[in-house]
Amino acid sequence: MEIQHDFSLKNYNTFGIEAKAKKFIAVHSTEELKTVLAQNKNEKKFILGGGSNMLLTQDIEALVIHIDLKGKKVIQENEDSVWIECQAGENWHEFVLWAIEQNFGGLENMSLIPGNVGTTPVQNIGAYGAEMKDSFISCQAVQIENQENKTFIKDECQFGYRESIFKNQVKDQFIITSVVFKLTKRNHKTNTSYGDILTELTKNNITTPTIKEVSNAVISIRKSKLPDPKELGNSGSFFKNPIVSKKEFEKIHLKFPEMKFYDISETEVKVPAGWLIEQAGFKGKRFGDAGIHKNQALVLVNYGNATGQEILAVSKKIQQTIFETFGIQIEAEVNVI
Ligand code: EPU
């Protein structure tokens, strides 16, 4: 455990942005984490997980603590279910693949989402009709201020669409060190209702898919739409899908009858931001090394040497055009640092 100075974060953020940490340290256990926190009480700190949901627009003038805790174990089981505790620094997709190999069901729709396990509760990751909260039981965290352990059970976490207590009331106060998931051992409830999955399975003549087959379908869909960060820097969906009141939406829909939307409550609809961005003509556009992906307009990409500021400028241009065109405000899902 050693503090490094002026450390390049290029390989620690999936956008592949060159930015430096004034000080950097990787911790491999909860004890190491507590020691670093206690020894650097008065330093400004920045917690870094998988770096898959952030845009670095400047160097970080703080002590960057990289959470690199590894390991997973079964902590409880019965005939139907298994409870697994997974350490925060495990790669999410590798964890999903491991679960599928053991025939543990529940995570398959979230295959190939970038990032680490410890950050999945923060924004309640989700894809293809599943959300992390559906399998979440609890997580362990360390309080930064006093290094005490705290368990957050599901009811406390206030999970919502890409939302949780960790982004709101307790933001920057806790570091998640492990997560407990409850998965199925048999009678898996595969969820194939999301259009693209059904199409993909049908294409392969699969009618009653195994969890492995659902995972393969998701992997294949994601690969066709979403760029691999190892090949093209990106952070997944850059924007959230905006939620608009039905009253407001009725007016907008009159002007744009072809606009897609999903009912989410009695009073609100969700509009796919990808559709708005595509209609506004941004899909596949490139501004220097910053651009909008050609297959999924929600994803901003770094073609090589884009700076965070350049990507931020593109995102602002998109937000402004969408607002001027449709009167809808779209919000970044990615944390802009
Ligand atoms: N669409 C377009 N043009 C585009 C992209 C999408 O018209 O360039 C339309 C599609 O035709 C479709 C609708 O928008 O009618 C929704 O598209 P899609 O199913 O691809 O999903 P999304 O709403 O664009 C969300 C998540 C993704 C997740 C997919 C699949 C958010 C912000 N994004 O995208 O999550 O993989 O659903 O479940 O909710 C991520 O968070 O990083 C991420 C990739």
Side-chain angles (χ1 to χ4, degrees):
M1 228 191 4
E2 196 185 312
I3 292 186
Q4 307 197 52
H5 295 264
D6 293 321
F7 186 86
S8 169
L9 296 172
K10 195 173 169 69
N11 294 328
Y12 288 81
N13 72 100
T14 60
F15 252 125
I17 302 279
E18 179 57 64
K20 291 208 159 45
K22 193 172 166 212
K23 293 180 180 180
F24 176 96
I25 191 161
V27 293
H28 307 97
S29 66
T30 303
E31 290 64 40
E32 280 189 8
L33 171 63
K34 287 181 176 180
T35 307
V36 169
L37 291 174
Q39 286 175 350
N40 296 276
K41 232 177 160 3
N42 299 321
E43 289 252 2
K44 224 172 146 241
K45 298 167 203 76
F46 180 95
I47 310 306
L48 176 65
S52 64
N53 201 42
M54 63 178 197
L55 176 66
L56 291 168
T57 62
Q58 55 191 327
D59 288 343
I60 302 185
E61 298 292 324
L63 171 63
V64 173
I65 304 177
H66 176 46
I67 308 302
D68 203 18
L69 279 61
K70 302 281 194 212
K72 47 193 174 294
K73 61 173 190 268
V74 171
I75 54 169
Q76 189 183 332
E77 62 187 307
N78 60 28
E79 279 184 9
D80 298 314
S81 309
V82 59
W83 284 251
I84 296 158
E85 179 172 25
C86 184
Q87 297 298 309
E90 288 284 347
N91 173 272
W92 170 258
H93 179 57
E94 282 168 24
F95 173 59
V96 172
L97 289 184
W98 172 85
I100 292 166
E101 255 169 52
Q102 321 297 311
N103 194 31
F104 298 156
L107 305 177
E108 53 285 349
N109 291 41
M110 292 174 284
S111 299
L112 216 59
I113 295 184
N116 287 354
V117 169
T119 41
T120 59
V122 179
Q123 62 152 358
N124 179 27
I125 62 165
Y128 305 103
E131 285 186 315
M132 196 260 359
K133 74 169 166 57
D134 306 334
S135 306
F136 178 95
I137 293 290
S138 65
C139 63
Q140 278 296 324
V142 171
Q143 191 160 1
I144 296 175
E145 179 70 22
N146 56 16
Q147 296 93 56
E148 279 174 16
N149 293 327
K150 161 133 177 84
T151 305
F152 285 89
I153 58 165
K154 186 171 175 174
D155 283 349
E156 287 173 277
C157 295
Q158 299 171 17
F159 290 126
Y161 167 59
R162 300 295 195 272
E163 281 294 344
S164 76
I165 194 171
F166 305 105
K167 272 178 131 178
N168 297 294
Q169 283 95 319
V170 302
K171 188 175 191 293
D172 299 332
Q173 291 175 32
F174 288 89
I175 299 170
I176 296 172
T177 51
S178 68
V179 185
V180 176
F181 299 95
K182 183 182 174 190
L183 305 178
T184 51
K185 283 166 65 179
R186 57 180 193 182
N187 303 324
H188 303 306
K189 293 188 189 64
T190 51
N191 173 357
T192 56
S193 55
Y194 201 93
D196 284 350
I197 298 193
L198 261 189
T199 315
E200 184 69 25
L201 291 170
T202 313
K203 204 170 83 189
N204 297 317
N205 295 320
I206 299 167
T207 46
T208 42
T210 61
I211 54 173
K212 177 84 190 152
E213 284 165 339
V214 173
S215 168
N216 285 343
V218 169
I219 289 173
S220 154
I221 300 163
R222 286 188 76 99
K223 281 193 169 158
S224 71
K225 284 194 179 175
L226 298 165
D228 179 350
K230 287 194 200 97
E231 285 155 24
L232 191 60
N234 76 89
S235 212
S237 300
F238 192 90
F239 300 102
K240 288 200 223 179
N241 289 326
I243 293 168
V244 183
S245 77
K246 279 199 174 155
K247 238 170 144 192
E248 187 62 26
F249 184 72
E250 274 164 21
K251 284 189 241 155
I252 302 172
H253 208 209
L254 280 178
K255 263 173 95 182
F256 303 97
E258 67 288 9
M259 186 179 283
K260 299 198 176 182
F261 66 99
Y262 316 98
D263 276 327
I264 55 161
S265 72
E266 299 261 297
T267 54
E268 290 171 318
V269 298
K270 201 192 261 183
V271 179
W275 186 89
L276 298 174
I277 299 168
E278 180 169 349
Q279 297 301 310
F282 283 106
K283 194 169 182 172
K285 278 253 170 79
R286 184 170 170 169
F287 305 87
D289 261 2
I292 297 96
H293 193 243
K294 62 181 192 325
N295 298 333
Q296 165 54 291
L298 255 189
V299 179
L300 302 189
V301 294
N302 171 11
Y303 282 100
N305 293 312
T307 64
Q309 291 290 351
E310 284 166 339
I311 289 175
L312 185 63
V314 169
S315 80
K316 291 205 163 138
K317 199 193 295 251
I318 293 173
Q319 281 171 316
Q320 196 187 338
T321 309
I322 298 293
F323 187 67
E324 286 166 3
T325 314
F326 303 104
I328 295 178
Q329 206 100 45
I330 58 168
E331 213 184 287
E333 183 200 275
V334 166
N335 296 316
V336 177
I337 310 295

